[in-house]
């Protein structure tokens, strides 16, 4: 159920003292090969954190032999000094493991706009190297937690190979600000093109469609490392499906642990003219503060859904839209439909369907409600 | 200080019983001429309310002789029956005042997705017609309130003519969902082109730059009626300045009365390559839930400002951005600048400056913080 489940990987999670809480804060995942294939997707935010600037360079050759991650500080908007800290972190890992710094992806999460404490971090790297083990996945998953209330791990078995993974975050890839970090591992023998294609296809329909609060993070990274240790090269479609399943599972874990959320909302847009249209409408709804407040208040407020849809350029006729909450079609043809009293929003899962009646495409966006807890978690000084 | 301050207008505000609270809910403003010039700006939401669909038709010839407004129901997403209610309302006003229904603009605000009670509304129209008076402006302003805690009125004097106005709303023109309705009156003798140009220029830099919660309303309407009763035709620039001043004043009143807000935030983006760039960056910041929560928590979290700016296509170099909170440059060149401890966010007004260092254009966006009060007001059932 973790990054060390596939063969060829060791991991560790240790405490370097970066967090005031004193909980583990440095994780290391090493690919012992024989292959060192890797693929990655990063935040599309133009104001990126230093570890993202570094790791984009590392990934230019689509290879990586290790990833070192820290919580307790995002190393974001920290200028050249912050970049040097990232570089030093990669070098420390490389020196200890006999590889080049250019083989080491770096991820950071925590406060932005503050320098990371470099010496404690580097001492933590040494400690993590010493603690590396084939059973170290759970400890690594724990060390990357910030506001997460539980660690997130996954294992998707193939035939003689598998995909493992861990994640942290209360947000999502694009957008998010509660940094999402995901490390996926596999012992399948795949080439860089296959790995990259599988990862991009998977993130496009999983993490990219998580939209917790519409805010795009500065540090988000999804990394896939392939060791080839199983000696098996799966069919590309089969491999892609496993990667997608792993991403889907982790995305769901992120959603259900989102900051302050009381409802997990699935917005399914059906009969759109194009998938892009469906995504645009779903995202507009998922980003409507008014809709999200309504769900918090257990109010099946379909008017706010139509109002959000009306801000998009998607093809549809406002006078023919249908909307269902948990199976009750409260809006038919842009007017009141079945009685909204029939909708029960007391459970955690809320399932919204919007029928555009404009084509055959469908897309699903996942989000959360907007709650007092969200405001509280994000308003405390320096969170 | 109101719509009846300029010569040639009568108004009334009465109670028709549309609101459970029993407070006034029908307003009427009549232009007694001699001119009946009018200009209007409506929500750009594609899913518009019935009164907007009606009033867009009325305004096709850039003339209006009356506007009837109701609170207690938005008549939005109510289908053909709802449109008939709007039509009947305009006809009732027209019959009573000896004009055509096509001379009557209709505005509604309140719950969406529910039919308006037509008979009480029409009886309320009769009552309003009977109550019309040259001193009726304040009563009209009161009758259009929904979640507003106070009525909003304005009077900007010219030389022998003036502009009056009233507004309701806890949101803004584009976007907003807490419907913004604005009626401006003037006794200046202006033609339709002058009125239209002045109104569009004014709304573009006032209501359009209010971004309380990023949600675009279905009912927003800004109407300007010109009676010509002063007999004076002001210089077009002087007239435009007065309309702009009236809009600016009302926009400020809307901002300071936004639902649940504890801070009024001014985001000024300076040294942008273009005004569009400045607006895009300002709006991205104003829509960041994380930034708005930070302000609620009195946290000068400039990292969230950079992260929001990073989602835009505006020209700038992330490594050179400066950000100030209330005069303290907490971020210099994309890194920590002056100590954030020096920022005092205990007052209601928060003034953020973002220096893009990319050109000479500037724009200002106004928004509010995201508070427990906002979540509370927007999560209660059927608000």
């Amino acid at each position: 159920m973790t990054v060390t489940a596939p063969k060829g990987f060791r991991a560790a999670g240790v405490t370097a003292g970066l967090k005031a809480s004193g909980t583990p804060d440095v994780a290391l995942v090493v690919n012992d090969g024989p292959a060192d294939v890797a693929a990655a997707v990063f935040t599309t935010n133009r104001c990126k954190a230093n570890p993202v600037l570094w790791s984009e360079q590392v990934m230019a050759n689509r290879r990586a032999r290790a990833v070192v991650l820290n919580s307790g500080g995002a190393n974001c908007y920290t200028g050249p000094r912050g970049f040097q800290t990232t570089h030093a972190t990669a070098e420390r890992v490389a020196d200890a493991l006999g590889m080049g710094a250019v083989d080491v992806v770096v991820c950071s999460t925590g406060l932005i706009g503050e320098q990371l404490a470099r010496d404690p971090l580097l001492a933590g790297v040494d400690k993590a190297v010493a603690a590396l083990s084939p059973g170290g996945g759970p400890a690594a998953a724990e060390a990357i937690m910030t506001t997460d209330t539980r660690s997130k791990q996954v294992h998707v078995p193939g035939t003689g190979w598998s995909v493992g993974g861990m994640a942290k975050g209360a947000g999502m890839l694009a957008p998010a600000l509660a940094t999402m970090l995901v490390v996926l591992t596999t012992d399948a023998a795949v080439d860089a093109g296959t790995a990259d294609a599988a990862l991009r296809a998977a993130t496009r329909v999983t993490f990219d469609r998580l939209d917790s609060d519409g805010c795009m993070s500065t540090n988000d990274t999804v990394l896939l490392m392939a060791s080839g240790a199983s000696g098996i090269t799966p069919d590309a479609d089969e491999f892609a499906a496993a990667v997608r399943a792993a991403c889907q599972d982790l995305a769901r874990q992120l959603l259900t642990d989102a900051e302050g959320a009381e409802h997990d909302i699935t917005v399914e847009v059906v009969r759109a003219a194009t998938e892009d249209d469906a995504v645009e409408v779903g995202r507009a709804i998922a980003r409507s503060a008014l809709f999200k407040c309504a769900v918090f208040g257990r109010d099946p407020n379909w008017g706010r859904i139509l109002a959000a849809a009306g801000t998009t350029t998607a093809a549809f006729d406002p006078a023919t839209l249908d909307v269902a909450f948990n199976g009750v079609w409260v809006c038919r043809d842009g007017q009141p439909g079945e009685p909204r009293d029939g909708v029960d929003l007391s459970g955690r899962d809320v399932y919204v369907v919007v029928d555009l009646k404009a084509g055959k495409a469908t897309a699903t966006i996942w989000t959360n409600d907007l709650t007092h807890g969200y405001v509280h978690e994000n308003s405390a000084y320096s969170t």
Side-chain angles (χ1 to χ4, degrees), chain A:
Chain A
M1 274 298 288
T2 183
V3 288
T4 45
K7 288 185 282 291
F9 293 92
R10 287 177 297 154
V14 300
T15 303
L18 304 173
K19 285 174 173 170
S21 64
T23 51
D25 46 20
V26 172
L28 181 61
V29 181
V30 177
N31 177 1
D32 288 320
D36 60 359
V37 167
V41 177
F42 299 100
T43 180
T44 55
N45 199 307
R46 291 167 58 202
C47 298
K48 300 177 203 295
N50 281 309
V52 172
L53 296 172
W54 167 265
S55 298
E56 285 179 336
Q57 295 180 29
V58 170
M59 289 306 304
N61 65 0
R62 304 204 286 189
R63 304 199 167 274
R65 295 179 62 186
V67 54
V68 57
L69 313 93
N70 74 276
S71 51
N75 197 0
C76 177
Y77 309 149
T78 46
R81 188 175 144 207
F83 190 82
Q84 288 157 11
T85 298
T86 293
H87 188 184
T89 306
E91 284 202 321
R92 190 76 154 229
V93 170
D95 290 348
L97 296 173
M99 54 183 70
V102 74
D103 295 321
V104 182
V105 171
V106 180
C107 300
S108 299
T109 179
L111 279 184
I112 59 182
E114 294 192 1
Q115 295 292 345
L116 260 179
R118 195 183 298 176
D119 291 342
L121 173 57
L122 296 181
V125 168
D126 296 341
K127 208 167 156 184
V129 169
L132 281 171
S133 88
E142 193 188 337
I144 58 175
M145 290 167 61
T146 54
T147 57
D148 307 68
T149 64
R150 49 187 180 272
S151 71
K152 287 104 181 167
Q153 300 174 73
V154 71
H155 186 224
V156 177
T159 310
W161 56 276
S162 68
V163 175
M166 67 178 188
K168 68 79 48 180
M172 54 275 132
L173 185 63
L177 200 68
T179 294
M180 186 191 70
L181 301 179
V182 177
V183 176
L184 299 168
T185 54
T186 183
D187 50 7
V190 292
D191 60 26
T194 303
D196 188 72
L199 187 66
R200 286 182 194 283
T203 56
R204 196 178 69 83
V205 295
T206 56
F207 301 120
D208 270 351
R209 294 193 182 170
L210 266 183
D211 203 325
S212 182
D213 63 7
C215 295
M216 185 190 289
S217 171
T218 54
N219 290 56
D220 287 340
T221 301
V222 182
L223 174 70
L224 168 63
M225 295 194 292
S227 70
S230 71
I232 296 170
T233 299
D235 171 76
D237 287 346
E238 191 188 353
F239 179 70
V243 172
R244 178 173 164 161
C247 290
Q248 184 66 68
D249 189 305
L250 289 173
R252 187 76 198 173
Q253 292 183 55
L254 291 170
L255 181 73
T256 58
D257 197 24
E259 286 175 353
E262 298 193 5
H263 290 88
D264 302 329
I265 308 171
T266 301
V267 180
E268 185 177 6
V269 180
V270 303
R271 293 207 278 173
T274 64
E275 186 178 347
D276 283 351
D277 273 11
V279 170
E280 186 188 2
V281 170
R283 210 177 275 288
I285 294 164
R287 290 184 182 179
S288 165
L290 291 170
F291 163 69
K292 291 152 72 84
C293 282
V295 171
F296 170 57
R298 302 182 179 182
D299 171 11
N301 196 318
W302 57 268
R304 293 178 178 177
I305 288 178
L306 263 60
T311 65
T312 71
T313 60
F316 66 83
D317 176 355
T320 68
L321 291 180
D322 291 355
V323 177
F325 270 86
N326 286 354
V328 181
W329 290 92
V330 287
C331 170
R332 290 280 195 193
D333 291 328
Q335 302 174 59
E338 298 170 17
R340 48 201 274 162
D341 298 353
V343 180
D344 179 6
L345 298 182
S346 60
R348 181 155 183 116
D349 289 315
V350 175
Y351 189 65
V352 172
V353 181
V354 180
D355 186 347
L356 299 185
K357 303 181 185 175
K360 295 179 177 176
T362 291
T364 301
I365 301 285
W366 296 277
T367 189
N368 299 105
D369 51 349
L370 179 53
T371 69
H372 291 301
Y374 176 87
V375 173
H376 179 74
E377 283 212 41
N378 289 296
S379 62
Y381 190 82
S382 284
T383 57

